[in-house]
Amino acid sequence: MEQVKSRITTTHAEGADCQVLILACPSIAAATQPGQFVHVRVSESADPLLRRPISVMLADRQAGHIRLLVRKVGRGTEALARLPAGATVDLLGPLGNGFPFPSAETSGDILLVAGGVGVAPLVFLADTLQTHRARFRVCGLLGGASDEHLPVWTELAGRCEEFHVSTEDGSAGEQGLVTELLGEHLAQDGTAVVYTCGPRPMMAAVAQMCAEARVPCWASLEQWMGCGVGACLGCVVPAAGGDDFLRVCKDGPVFAAEQLAWEALGQ
Amino acid sequence: MSATVPDLSVEIAGLTLRNPVMPASGTFGWGTEYADLLELSSLGAVVVKATTLLPRPGNAPPRIVETPAGMLNAIGLQNPGVDVVVREKLPPLADCGAPVIVNIAGETVDDYVAVAKRLGASPVVSALEINASCPNTERGGMQFGLEPGPLAELVSAVRAVTSLPLITKLSPNVTDIVPLARAAVEAGTDALSLINTLLGMAIDTDRRRPKLGNVTGGLSGPAIRPVAVRMVWQVAAAGLGVPLIGMGGIMSANDALEFILAGATAVAIGTATFVTPDTCRQVIEGLAAYCVRNGVRSIREIVGAAHRP
Ligand SMILES: Cc1cc2nc3c(=O)[nH]c(=O)nc-3n(C[C@H](O)[C@H](O)[C@H](O)COP(=O)(O)OP(=O)(O)OC[C@H]3O[C@@H](n4cnc5c(N)ncnc54)[C@H](O)[C@@H]3O)c2cc1C
Ligand SMILES: Cc1cc2nc3c(=O)[nH]c(=O)nc-3n(C[C@H](O)[C@H](O)[C@H](O)COP(=O)(O)O)c2cc1C
Ligand code: FES
């Protein structure tokens, strides 16, 4: 983990409400694993004060770049999206645990189930899986409200053997929720493991479907953060079966679905 | 010592600190989380999270919300309990090169006393900081910090069972902080920390619900700095004869200087570490530079200087 000042090499709008930033930060690019994130300072001033956690969408070790996909939902992400190429951004990272890799003996399908901007860490995972391919196939399922809400979908599609899209309004792919695509896939046997990132109700449904199908499921969670390094205990989510809590920044952001109390999380 | 290297060392409660800068309890975990980014041995002291007798799971999330130039937190004193703290959390700090101050909290006076006794047996602990000011639990200390009587009772009970230097951390959630400071000093505290967080709240207007799981939380960060400086000033003016550790929204050496000039012998950095992990180092360097610029040979010369005519 380190704190670096990183230059934006390019930035461009993506879909209805997202921005893709490419940042020059060789040390972080070299160290980051899929599912890890950077904690980004969005302003030089004391307001907004806190850093914002953003997943690394791709790390290009050769070029020394990382790519971020930012959805504009508030002051911090809007400020980040407005920064021009050439601007400097203060990053802390890489942080968090990242996705555990499937073992080389894994056979069958690896399913990546993404909702909206949750696609970002799964693009990186798909990218890395390609270089570690054994006997499995990577299948991507991406859902969004409409065709305008499927940011960087080609980045995921291009790294999967099989790829399906659903939109709630039917403007792209199947009409409906991504969990319906997952249901169809789980109905045919052969799914080895599911990785998911997206809105909490979506991930709660994915976790439940995987539990019923007895397929291991890894979910990448979000929570408001203070430190990002495990020190403040501010970013917790409830753990399964008890009163305990897990830190999203340090114990996560990736959790085995059975680690979490989804009843409390899905709300 | 050459004329260009100012003396930053200070004494707090019988401890000599190599400089007056330390992290604030609860913002620095168990001291090791930031070790990649900050040399612990460069700090005046390491201050760790509140420790209670039994493990506490803490409050339901969300526990953090950003507010203008600040943040609210309602962690709820999550910690693994004093036994685990002594066995697992403190030993890694044994050779950290700085005094280790442990913040203690409880629901009853007996809880504090039991925690203080256990910590007294740990060779790693250099001092105790009584947290009589956590606003985030029904009974987490602040009930002791709001009136002189209960505060004096708590401080003297802990004083009676420990020979460790004793610091008492005061709550700002009172009309007049001076009687509380005086009560703690009369009960035997060696130093005072001020301030803990200010009780606050934020509401999500879409959901029409409080943003924090705990409803209310403690406000920290630059937003509270003027309140904190004022309280340090008032307690210093009362001339109670114990050193003060000032904190509340310090982001830079200049902010730290406000506290020192108001009467703080040392300062603690909390929320700023989340934003800039090496804030403590920057403040230490900035204080040294200020001394050099202004011909100050020892930082102790300017403690409380703003009170002088
Ligand atoms: C590990 C991780 C990875 C992430 N990866 C990405 C990513 O790759 N791309 C991406 O776009 N986003 C990602 N996020 C989410 C991103 O961090 C947030 O969207 C961002 O912090 C929002 O900041 P903001 O200033 O834009 O919004 P804010 O203005 O802070 O908040 C947006 C909305 O949430 C409300 N809100 C804020 N805090 C609270 C609270 N504590 N309780 C209730 N409501 C609150 C605000 O009132 C506002 O309505 C990730 C989050 C985590 C934890
Ligand atoms: C996330 C968080 C956790 C805290 N936990 C504790 C604690 O366990 N014990 C304590 O005495 N103070 C605790 N505090 C208060 C700080 O030590 C400090 O008094 C306060 O935040 C003001 O300083 P700041 O504005 O620099 O953060 C906590 C503050 C924050 C932000
Ligand atoms: S954000 Fe501080 S512990 Fe996770």
Side-chain angles (χ1 to χ4, degrees):
Chain A
M1 181 221 324
E2 47 186 319
Q3 185 190 348
V4 297
K5 302 256 193 249
S6 158
R7 195 173 45 82
I8 300 177
T9 62
T10 57
T11 170
H12 67 84
E14 172 74 31
D17 54 6
C18 291
Q19 191 83 11
V20 173
L21 303 170
I22 300 181
L23 293 150
C25 48
S27 53
I28 292 183
T32 309
Q33 297 298 317
Q36 290 191 295
F37 65 95
V38 284
H39 213 17
V40 185
R41 182 122 192 240
V42 294
S43 92
E44 290 283 303
S45 81
D47 194 41
L49 181 65
L50 298 173
R51 290 172 182 266
R52 302 297 195 263
I54 304 287
S55 300
V56 174
M57 181 174 88
L58 278 172
D60 184 334
R61 297 190 161 101
Q62 241 124 48
H65 289 163
I66 62 167
R67 206 174 285 238
L68 306 180
L69 173 66
V70 178
R71 176 158 179 244
K72 294 177 271 181
V73 299
R75 288 198 306 162
T77 46
E78 266 153 27
L80 207 51
R82 265 197 311 272
L83 290 175
T88 302
V89 185
D90 180 337
L91 304 177
L92 190 61
L95 301 173
N97 59 357
F99 292 109
F101 265 49
S103 70
E105 292 80 58
T106 303
S107 65
D109 288 358
I110 294 179
L111 248 56
L112 311 182
V113 184
V117 74
V119 70
L122 296 174
V123 168
F124 195 1
L125 179 62
D127 191 69
T128 314
L129 287 173
Q130 282 198 316
T131 56
H132 287 74
R133 176 132 327 143
R135 281 176 287 138
F136 50 79
R137 279 173 2 113
V138 179
C139 170
L141 308 177
L142 173 62
S146 75
D147 57 354
E148 284 281 272
H149 295 87
L150 299 170
V152 303
W153 71 268
T154 53
E155 299 280 0
L156 185 59
R159 292 175 169 84
C160 295
E161 268 88 32
E162 188 183 334
F163 182 76
H164 302 281
V165 159
S166 67
T167 50
E168 284 163 46
D169 67 357
S171 53
E174 300 280 315
Q175 179 166 11
L177 298 174
V178 71
T179 43
E180 293 163 29
L181 298 179
L182 173 65
E184 290 166 24
H185 212 100
L186 290 174
Q188 321 149 12
D189 281 340
T191 303
V193 54
V194 171
Y195 295 91
T196 185
C197 185
R200 279 200 191 168
M202 180 206 100
M203 290 197 287
V206 171
Q208 188 177 352
M209 293 168 78
C210 289
E212 282 163 10
R214 297 183 181 282
V215 170
C217 172
W218 297 94
S220 181
L221 271 278
E222 289 188 2
Q223 182 60 282
W224 282 279
M225 286 189 183
C227 67
V229 303
C232 74
L233 309 178
C235 64
V236 301
V237 289
D243 303 330
D244 281 346
F245 296 101
L246 294 163
R247 294 165 302 177
V248 169
C249 71
K250 189 82 179 181
D251 307 313
V254 179
F255 296 96
E258 64 270 16
Q259 282 179 278
L260 302 172
W262 288 100
E263 333 70 78
L265 273 167
Q267 295 156 7
Chain B
M1 188 174 291
S2 100
T4 54
V5 182
D7 178 9
L8 292 186
S9 70
V10 295
E11 233 180 83
I12 293 277
L15 291 177
T16 302
L17 314 185
R18 72 169 55 76
N19 63 60
V21 182
M22 62 188 87
S25 174
T27 63
F28 206 64
W30 299 104
T32 49
E33 287 84 348
Y34 280 106
D36 277 4
L37 301 164
L38 193 64
E39 189 66 55
L40 296 184
S41 64
S42 69
L43 299 172
V46 171
V47 187
V48 298
K49 178 81 193 148
T51 298
T52 54
L53 185 56
L54 299 175
R56 290 183 55 104
N59 290 329
R63 289 179 174 183
I64 278 188
V65 59
E66 190 180 60
T67 55
M71 62 178 275
L72 291 165
N73 88 81
I75 310 298
L77 297 178
Q78 180 182 335
N79 81 97
V82 70
D83 287 339
V84 175
V85 168
V86 168
R87 202 158 7 103
E88 294 171 19
K89 302 296 182 185
L90 296 177
L93 293 174
D95 300 313
C96 74
V100 175
I101 300 175
V102 182
N103 186 264
I104 65 175
E107 295 184 9
T108 63
V109 170
D110 289 346
D111 285 356
Y112 282 89
V113 164
V115 175
K117 278 190 188 157
R118 298 275 167 104
L119 290 169
S122 163
V124 182
V125 182
S126 306
L128 300 179
E129 180 179 59
I130 298 180
N131 179 354
S133 44
C134 177
N136 294 329
T137 56
E138 190 100 326
R139 301 182 62 77
M142 198 167 86
Q143 72 272 20
F144 296 108
L146 299 182
E147 288 181 57
L151 183 64
E153 192 198 332
L154 173 65
V155 173
S156 41
V158 176
R159 177 74 290 171
V161 298
T162 188
S163 53
L164 286 168
L166 196 58
I167 303 162
T168 302
K169 185 157 173 180
L170 301 176
S171 170
N173 299 304
V174 293
T175 314
D176 184 358
I177 198 166
V178 173
L180 290 138
R182 182 171 289 120
V185 171
E186 284 168 1
T189 200
D190 300 309
L192 295 166
S193 275
L194 58 165
I195 59 176
N196 208 314
T197 53
L198 283 152
L199 195 57
M201 138 170 220
I203 293 178
D204 182 330
T205 52
D206 292 329
R207 290 170 49 246
R208 302 187 179 178
R209 292 283 174 277
K211 282 187 177 176
L212 290 170
N214 187 54
V215 180
T216 58
L219 183 63
S220 65
I224 71 169
R225 190 164 62 234
V227 177
V229 171
R230 182 262 297 177
M231 288 187 160
V232 168
W233 172 275
Q234 289 176 322
V235 173
L240 302 174
V242 299
L244 310 181
I245 306 172
M247 69 198 78
I250 298 175
M251 304 292 284
S252 68
N254 204 60
D255 299 343
L257 281 160
E258 280 199 61
F259 283 84
I260 292 169
L261 295 170
T265 298
V267 294
I269 314 286
T271 304
T273 297
F274 303 160
V275 183
T276 307
D278 65 351
T279 303
C280 284
R281 185 182 59 77
Q282 293 182 19
V283 170
I284 295 164
E285 288 172 5
L287 291 179
Y290 177 89
C291 289
V292 170
R293 260 198 327 278
N294 293 281
V296 174
R297 274 165 309 165
S298 160
I299 192 87
R300 299 186 296 278
E301 290 169 25
I302 60 167
V303 171
H307 291 268
R308 290 172 209 150

